[in-house]
Amino acid sequence: MENNNLVAGDRPTLMVTNDDGIDAPGLRALVNVLVSTKRFNVLVCAPDSEKSAVSHSITWRNALSVKPVDISGATAFAVSGTPADCTSLGISKALFPSVPDLVISGVNMGDNCGYHIVYSGTVAGAREAFFNGFPAVSISYNWVRGKSHVNDFTLAARACLPIISGILAEIKMKHYPQNCFLNIDVPTNVVNHKGYHLTRQGKSFIKMGWRQVTSEREGGNILSTMTMETNSTESTDASALRNAPPDHLLLKRRVTRILVENGDTDYCSLQEGYITVTPLGGLSPAEPDAVSFFQNWLPSVVDHYPSSAL
């Protein structure tokens, strides 16, 4: 989708969304960095509350509630929907008078690598733009409790400015590829990052289990970083104090182990200290050896188990 303003030489328009919510420090840091350059028109269309790990879900049956939010230097709206809803709404001209040149989703609190890209609302915010023909980037910062600080979101956003500017330059020259979007992960020690590294999506995965609890407060919370917070001091709503009725069970997820695929993948390169840049698409093809298996398997199944015999 081409924005005539960019072609005409006006300031590019960027639309920001996320899955941590419009008040999240990662989004606020990104918007502040973009606005402070005085090079972009900045729009914000983000969830009104945390929507981490909602993947690419959309609101289908109900109307969305939209509220203007005061963010200095930007035009911003908080939306009652998911990240994919926010992107869809933001690029539709229902809220803003023009469409963005680039959609940026983030900065997420926690990395989005490997199989967890499937769960990510942050990545879905960018993917929804890609589905609709808009260039898009998702940005995540590898937040580690005890090591990371809120200011690291600002450093992560600044570190991504060269990539954002480079994308916009390619869009203006009509060279930017339309068959992918980018997923960027910034390492914990962003100040001393080792550079920008083009990677591929790996198979890293945080294995989850379940445990029975007697109340929703018991057992700690799983943060948006996919880690456990066992001594959270954050305020909890009434539902967090709910006990299970006598005939119900309450079950909460728990992290059991991390499965890591070695090699030149997004997760491994991120752990080595690189800012990883991973081109993603919208399809989910199986591995070639699996496709090869089913090419031989399917005809034999049909011959061996004819439908007339069932």
Side-chain angles (χ1 to χ4, degrees):
M1 181 71 65
E2 184 178 285
N3 189 329
N4 292 328
N5 289 335
L6 183 59
V7 175
D10 293 342
R11 289 199 303 177
T13 298
L14 309 181
M15 194 199 81
V16 177
T17 190
N18 73 344
D19 73 355
D20 291 329
I22 198 163
D23 294 320
L27 181 141
R28 294 303 180 106
L30 174 60
V31 172
N32 183 61
V33 167
L34 295 175
V35 169
S36 66
T37 66
K38 299 181 180 179
R39 289 155 43 194
F40 313 115
N41 297 315
V42 182
L43 311 175
V44 180
C45 188
D48 59 8
S49 60
E50 183 171 336
K51 295 293 190 297
S52 296
V54 300
S55 189
H56 208 110
S57 60
I58 61 173
T59 303
W60 186 257
R61 298 180 182 273
N62 303 319
L64 295 177
S65 172
V66 180
K67 179 181 71 173
V69 175
D70 184 17
I71 300 180
S72 180
T75 303
F77 292 93
V79 181
S80 62
T82 67
D85 288 332
C86 293
T87 296
S88 178
L89 190 58
I91 63 178
S92 69
K93 289 188 176 181
L95 287 181
F96 307 114
S98 62
V99 297
D101 298 295
L102 176 67
V103 173
I104 306 176
S105 186
V107 174
N108 187 65
M109 182 183 183
D111 68 84
N112 277 304
C113 298
Y115 282 150
H116 285 283
I117 285 174
V118 177
Y119 296 107
S120 171
T122 301
V123 177
R127 189 189 298 113
E128 179 69 15
F130 163 71
F131 283 165
N132 286 276
F134 289 84
V137 176
S138 51
I139 302 174
S140 301
Y141 167 67
N142 188 27
W143 178 277
V144 174
R145 183 172 178 241
K147 294 182 179 180
S148 299
H149 305 279
V150 172
N151 187 56
D152 290 328
F153 288 116
T154 297
L155 300 177
R158 288 176 181 164
C160 291
L161 278 177
I163 299 174
I164 294 169
S165 298
I167 291 173
L168 291 169
E170 297 297 332
I171 294 172
K172 186 174 182 178
M173 294 186 291
K174 300 183 179 180
H175 292 164
Y176 194 72
Q178 298 182 350
N179 59 350
C180 72
F181 65 102
L182 295 182
N183 182 46
I184 301 173
D185 283 280
V186 180
T188 306
N189 188 3
V190 58
V191 173
N192 297 308
H193 72 81
K194 294 182 179 179
Y196 303 84
H197 192 46
L198 189 69
T199 61
R200 61 182 175 85
Q201 181 183 0
K203 299 178 181 178
S204 60
F205 183 65
I206 297 179
K207 191 78 172 175
M208 298 267 184
W210 294 89
R211 61 171 297 190
Q212 185 174 345
V213 296
T214 57
S215 73
E216 291 193 6
R217 172 178 285 177
E218 183 183 343
N221 298 314
I222 294 182
L223 303 180
S224 58
T225 56
M226 291 294 206
T227 58
M228 290 297 297
E229 174 68 270
T230 55
N231 295 310
S232 177
T233 58
E234 296 179 5
S235 61
T236 54
D237 58 24
S239 65
L241 304 178
R242 187 177 66 214
N243 295 324
D247 58 340
H248 289 200
L249 297 177
L250 281 179
L251 297 163
K252 294 191 74 172
R253 288 186 182 270
R254 61 185 181 92
V255 176
T256 58
R257 58 188 174 130
I258 300 177
L259 305 177
V260 178
E261 177 193 33
N262 294 323
D264 192 24
T265 63
D266 47 6
Y267 183 82
C268 290
S269 296
L270 180 67
Q271 296 304 310
E272 291 172 1
Y274 291 96
I275 296 176
T276 63
V277 181
T278 309
L280 298 176
L283 303 178
S284 301
E287 299 287 346
D289 58 340
V291 175
S292 178
F293 170 85
F294 285 107
Q295 284 176 335
N296 298 321
W297 176 82
L298 185 58
S300 66
V301 167
V302 174
D303 292 339
H304 193 73
Y305 303 101
S307 58
S308 59
L310 298 178

